[in-house]
Amino acid sequence: MSDRGYRRPRPLSPLREHLRDTFWFAPTMGFVCVFVLWLVASAVDGEIVAFLRREEAYDELGDLMAFAQDAKTIVTTVSSAMMTFIGVVFSISLVAVQMASGQLTPRVVRIFVRSRISKLTLTVFLATFLFSLLVLTSYESEADARRVVSVPLLQSMLTLVLVGLSLLLFIVYVSATLRLLQVGPVVDRIARDSFRVLGRMPRGPGGPEELGPETGRVVHEGRAGVLRDVNTARLVRAARRQDVVLRLIPRIGDFVVPGTPVLAVHGGAAVPPRRLLRYTVSVGVERTLHQDLAFGLRQLVDIALRALSTSVNDPTTAVQCLDRIVQFLAAVVHLPLGTVHHRDRSGRVRLVQDGPGWERLVDLAFEEIRWCLAKSPQVSRRLLAGLDDLLLLAPEERRKPLVRHRALLVQTVERSVPVAADREFALLSDRQGIG
């Protein structure tokens, strides 16, 4: 796959994606924001009291003090009950996530971890708890309106607003968590994430580039793990400064260990200093969808395989996964796949990256499922219909792997189904499996 000229990614794209894979960043920022909000509200309350004292409006100030004392009961109740509420809600949520990972695939946990509504709900819950504690420190024991310094009026009102927002988010969060237990929304989310990856990938017409002789290699010096993504913009800049071409040796999703060569250097008199390549390669404990085009297919296939296992025996779920698999392959059937050439501003190739080709994607999509569908005519019929649809869409040069998988599917059914009538039924093309 080549690009139409180097398309620079957004500078904070890798950092933003890595933070989305964490569950601590949003609550931490929420703590900072709520502390700033409390300081501002406290200052406003102090200004209100100072203004009323200057105007000698002690009756109005006394009314505000009475309202604040009434609100104190609510604030105290909120501060004591909020942590219990948070514990109960998220304990139930963790059970739901565990059930989803057991029924579908452990990879669906990342959907919960990356869910914006989950992080927003936790952030608002914790912010409400912290804000209520801070408001309680603003209450004074002084009952004389002429001597009081601060009345937490605005702070109490903001506490009530946060409580209302927490209740609203609780309803939305429960609805989103229940959707995580349904197969349809999960496979739809995986498909949408895969299409986002496809939309970010550089592509367009272009032929192979002459890289020149290899002059050196850069090895991985960090921890062992899965190659999650690379900072292409930084690698392109480093290669341009050194006037070399860099080639990424492992593919995104490969497991690398310390000492593994990760970059090959082509051209130039010397290997670029390692400090120029620092923070350009991200290694983690599991694959992500940031730059991994094949990971979405991997998740869909995993769900289908678990559904076809003898312990689960849910072919309808496998059919739903095949719907999305065929949808994804139909979207990429005309796109250039394979090697990606990243260029600098002048149009020169600076980074070469090996991506999944068409045949590899087709094998990933159908090979393992075909091995497990021997006793499921519903899945064999849907798989046959999907292959026939893709054969109609695919150009001539991309039909060979589809034809091969179709022939192997027919052989698998003929070998595993002894009755001729059953074989004929299992090899009928049906987009609903058994409609």
Side-chain angles (χ1 to χ4, degrees):
M1 184 189 301
S2 301
D3 56 351
R4 295 186 179 93
Y6 178 61
R7 182 176 62 185
R8 289 178 295 170
R10 285 175 284 186
L12 296 180
S13 178
L15 176 61
R16 185 179 65 252
E17 288 297 322
H18 295 169
L19 290 177
R20 285 195 64 188
D21 286 329
T22 66
F23 218 76
W24 58 266
F25 179 73
T28 301
M29 294 304 299
F31 286 157
V32 174
C33 293
V34 80
F35 190 76
V36 173
L37 178 64
W38 173 72
L39 290 177
V40 173
S42 180
V44 172
D45 284 335
E47 288 297 324
I48 292 175
V49 172
F51 172 77
L52 294 176
R53 291 181 62 182
R54 287 196 301 268
E55 297 295 325
E56 297 184 353
Y58 297 115
D59 292 337
E60 289 79 358
L61 183 55
D63 294 338
L64 294 182
M65 292 175 62
F67 174 80
Q69 286 298 322
D70 292 338
K72 182 179 181 180
T73 304
I74 300 176
V75 175
T76 304
T77 303
V78 169
S79 63
S80 59
M82 204 64 197
M83 282 306 294
T84 303
F85 181 63
I86 293 172
V88 172
V89 169
F90 280 89
S91 296
I92 297 174
S93 302
L94 292 178
V95 172
V97 171
Q98 185 178 12
M99 291 177 59
S101 65
Q103 293 175 356
L104 302 176
T105 171
R107 261 65 65 186
V108 301
V109 176
R110 63 173 295 277
I111 298 179
F112 176 80
V113 173
R114 292 173 62 89
S115 171
R116 290 188 175 92
I117 187 62
S118 299
K119 295 176 181 178
L120 179 61
T121 302
L122 177 63
T123 300
V124 173
F125 283 5
L126 294 176
T128 303
F129 171 70
L130 177 60
F131 193 81
S132 63
L133 292 181
L134 293 173
V135 171
L136 288 177
T137 64
S138 300
Y139 281 94
E140 297 183 7
S141 58
E142 181 61 56
D144 188 356
R146 298 176 181 274
R147 302 177 60 181
V148 71
V149 176
S150 176
V151 177
L153 175 65
L154 179 60
Q155 299 171 64
S156 300
M157 295 176 64
L158 287 176
T159 303
L160 298 179
V161 170
L162 287 174
V163 170
L165 182 60
S166 298
L167 295 176
L168 178 62
L169 284 175
F170 171 69
I171 298 173
V172 178
Y173 175 75
V174 169
S175 176
T177 303
L178 290 177
R179 285 176 62 84
L180 187 62
L181 298 176
Q182 303 174 28
V183 177
V186 171
V187 297
D188 177 69
R189 173 65 180 273
I190 294 173
R192 287 189 285 112
D193 288 346
S194 299
F195 282 114
R196 290 194 188 97
V197 179
L198 185 63
R200 289 195 297 261
M201 294 190 66
R203 57 184 180 270
E209 296 281 344
E210 182 64 36
L211 299 182
E214 183 178 317
T215 57
R217 290 192 170 189
V218 179
V219 300
H220 176 57
E221 296 181 340
R223 61 174 180 172
V226 176
L227 181 61
R228 300 192 302 178
D229 54 51
V230 294
N231 192 323
T232 56
R234 185 170 294 178
L235 285 173
V236 167
R237 288 195 299 267
R240 179 173 55 83
R241 284 195 294 267
Q242 299 294 320
D243 194 23
V244 297
V245 178
L246 299 176
R247 176 171 57 86
L248 187 66
I249 298 175
R251 291 192 298 258
I252 300 295
D254 286 356
F255 191 88
V256 296
V257 298
T260 301
V262 291
L263 289 169
V265 183
H266 295 264
V271 177
R274 287 188 175 88
R275 60 181 178 82
L276 294 179
L277 306 177
R278 193 174 301 164
Y279 308 121
T280 58
V281 176
S282 173
V283 172
V285 295
E286 61 180 359
R287 297 166 68 176
T288 69
L289 270 168
H290 183 210
Q291 295 179 357
D292 196 342
L293 182 62
F295 187 47
L297 280 180
R298 178 72 269 168
Q299 294 179 82
L300 293 173
V301 171
D302 284 348
I303 296 174
L305 293 177
R306 180 162 297 202
L308 291 174
S309 66
T310 55
S311 60
V312 178
N313 193 22
D314 183 12
T316 303
T317 294
V319 168
Q320 289 180 277
C321 294
L322 281 172
D323 292 339
R324 299 300 180 174
I325 290 172
V326 172
Q327 177 192 7
F328 180 80
L329 292 178
V332 303
V333 68
H334 292 287
L335 298 180
L337 299 169
T339 303
V340 183
H341 296 96
H342 300 275
R343 305 175 185 270
D344 60 18
R345 294 177 179 177
S346 63
R348 294 187 59 185
V349 174
R350 293 301 183 183
L351 175 64
V352 178
Q353 181 179 350
D354 185 22
W358 169 252
E359 185 171 359
R360 179 173 170 233
L361 290 177
V362 173
D363 289 342
L364 171 61
F366 299 131
E367 186 71 26
E368 293 173 287
I369 295 177
R370 179 172 52 78
W371 284 37
C372 298
L373 56 73
K375 297 182 179 180
S376 179
Q378 182 180 0
V379 180
S380 65
R381 288 158 65 102
R382 178 63 186 99
L383 180 53
L384 193 67
L387 288 169
D388 289 341
D389 289 341
L390 291 172
L391 282 169
L392 292 175
L393 296 173
E396 184 64 33
E397 65 274 10
R398 289 195 170 176
R399 292 180 181 176
K400 182 177 178 180
L402 298 173
V403 172
R404 179 173 63 86
H405 277 281
R406 195 185 192 284
L408 290 173
L409 172 62
V410 173
Q411 294 175 17
T412 299
V413 174
E414 290 178 344
R415 186 170 55 251
S416 58
V417 181
V419 181
D422 291 341
R423 288 198 300 269
E424 183 180 355
F425 180 81
L427 291 175
L428 288 176
S429 178
D430 188 346
R431 292 189 180 91
Q432 294 185 23
I434 301 177

